[in-house]
Amino acid sequence: MPSTVPSARLLALLRGHEPALVFTGAGVSRESGIPTFRDAGGLWEGVDPMEVATPEAFDEDPGRVWRFYDARRRQAAAIRPNAAHRAIAAIEATGRPFLLATQNVDGLHELAGSRAMVRLHGSLWQLRCTSCGRRSDDRRVPLDPLPPRCACGGLLRPDVVWFGEALPMVAFGRAERAARNAALCLVVGTSSLVEPAAGIPRIARASGAYVVEINPEATPLSPLAGERFAGAAGVILPELLAAAGIPMESAA
Ligand code: BV8
Ligand code: ZN
């Protein structure tokens, strides 16, 4: 098991009160039981993202897109946050200037208590009407019938950001501003392949933040990291917090 020995610089930053930005991807939910996208056995294995995660795919076959997303909602509804989600919420709870920018849509950060956060790619639990634009919070699993329809009769879609779609401007703007001000940027569980979200940690690094990557694998971001921990977020993050003396809630 790789030991987690943070540098003196990282320990000082974790213990300090300067602004911190945490940027997460699917790997942070891995230990809750949700597959990532690009690992073996991942969501994109056997599924062409262009057939289930683009507006064109939805126009062509909303039923196929909804079967993919309803399955992910059912999967996400059945699991709980893991120690990585709780550790990130514990950093926020120290009261330091903090923002979590997540690419995840599963809602586990919110369940773990994260509040100062932006969802760069939307949420599985929000639906949006393709006719009247109305947004709704909808936790029903399974959704039946598929595809779901709005009271206005319009087709409802998952309120997530598909390939070729713009990210929510307010969320992305908040993440960019936090990246420009961050002294510490933790990049957890992301392949750093999907733009423009993957640019957020690069903005932090260019603005002087100390970037730390937590990921079993190296990624295109790795060369920019001042420090890397090659391991599971659910193991590494609690160890870093313990070394820094940051208290963590145990599993609720
Ligand atoms: C845009 C939907 C323009 C939500 C997702 C060529 C062709 C077509 C498009 C492009 C192209 N080149 C660039 C693009 C743009 C494209 C893009 O970046 N494509 C990439 C793949 C090349 N981007 C877009 O299309 C974006 N929009 O550009 O629009 C525009 C601009 C203005 C106006 C109009 C239009 C939209 C991007 C968002 C796409 N939506 N999903 C959903 O269903 O979830 S992408 C999908 O990838 C998810 O959102 C996910 O969040 C994101 C990133 O993946 P990761 O989270 O990093 O997950 P991954 O599996 O990749 O990696 C997991 C990592 O965890 C691994 O590194 C693994 O080692 C690690 N790990 C595993 N276990 C653990 C762990 N880490 C820690 N602990 C563990 N236990
Ligand atoms: Zn409607």
Side-chain angles (χ1 to χ4, degrees):
M1 181 66 72
S3 77
T4 312
V5 182
S7 66
R9 180 173 182 185
L10 175 53
L11 267 183
L13 282 164
L14 284 169
R15 287 172 178 152
H17 301 285
E18 296 170 282
L21 168 66
V22 178
F23 179 79
T24 62
V28 82
S29 296
R30 186 75 198 79
E31 286 141 280
S32 293
I34 289 197
T36 60
F37 290 90
R38 296 168 181 86
D39 288 321
L43 287 166
W44 292 155
E45 199 167 272
V47 172
D48 176 359
M50 297 303 137
E51 291 199 349
V52 293
T54 67
E56 295 77 16
F58 187 76
D59 292 343
E60 186 195 321
D61 188 346
R64 179 178 63 203
V65 172
W66 262 115
R67 284 189 295 279
F68 174 70
Y69 278 94
D70 190 52
R72 287 181 59 197
R73 285 164 54 103
R74 277 182 278 123
Q75 199 173 48
I79 56 164
R80 304 287 305 150
N82 66 64
H85 298 103
R86 291 197 300 277
I88 291 165
I91 298 173
E92 175 182 343
T94 61
R96 67 188 298 163
F98 177 90
L99 186 72
L100 163 63
T102 188
Q103 302 170 93
N104 297 344
V105 296
D106 56 29
L108 291 180
H109 280 304
E110 299 87 326
L111 273 182
S114 287
R115 292 291 172 270
M117 67 178 286
V118 291
R119 288 185 290 255
L120 297 173
H121 291 163
S123 168
L124 284 174
W125 306 113
Q126 294 275 317
L127 307 187
R128 187 171 84 230
C129 179
T130 55
S131 299
C132 71
R134 185 174 164 275
R135 277 186 166 82
S136 55
D137 192 64
D138 186 315
R139 304 269 153 168
R140 289 175 295 164
V141 286
L143 279 170
D144 185 25
L146 288 179
R149 287 204 176 263
C150 175
C152 81
L155 267 181
L156 292 173
R157 60 165 279 180
D159 198 16
V160 299
V161 180
W162 281 328
F163 287 104
E165 293 189 317
L167 274 60
M169 278 169 41
V170 171
F172 192 75
R174 278 188 64 193
E176 255 190 323
R177 275 192 304 283
R180 292 197 202 294
N181 293 318
L184 173 62
C185 176
L186 301 181
V187 182
V188 189
T190 181
S191 58
S192 294
L193 290 173
V194 175
E195 300 295 350
I200 293 294
R202 289 201 295 274
I203 292 168
R205 175 74 169 68
S207 309
Y210 186 64
V211 175
V212 175
E213 184 178 44
I214 298 170
N215 191 324
E217 309 290 331
T219 72
L221 181 90
S222 301
L224 293 184
E227 205 156 335
R228 254 183 58 71
F229 295 95
V235 172
I236 303 283
L237 277 170
E239 288 185 2
L240 289 178
L241 267 64
I246 297 174
M248 245 183 85
E249 298 288 312
S250 56

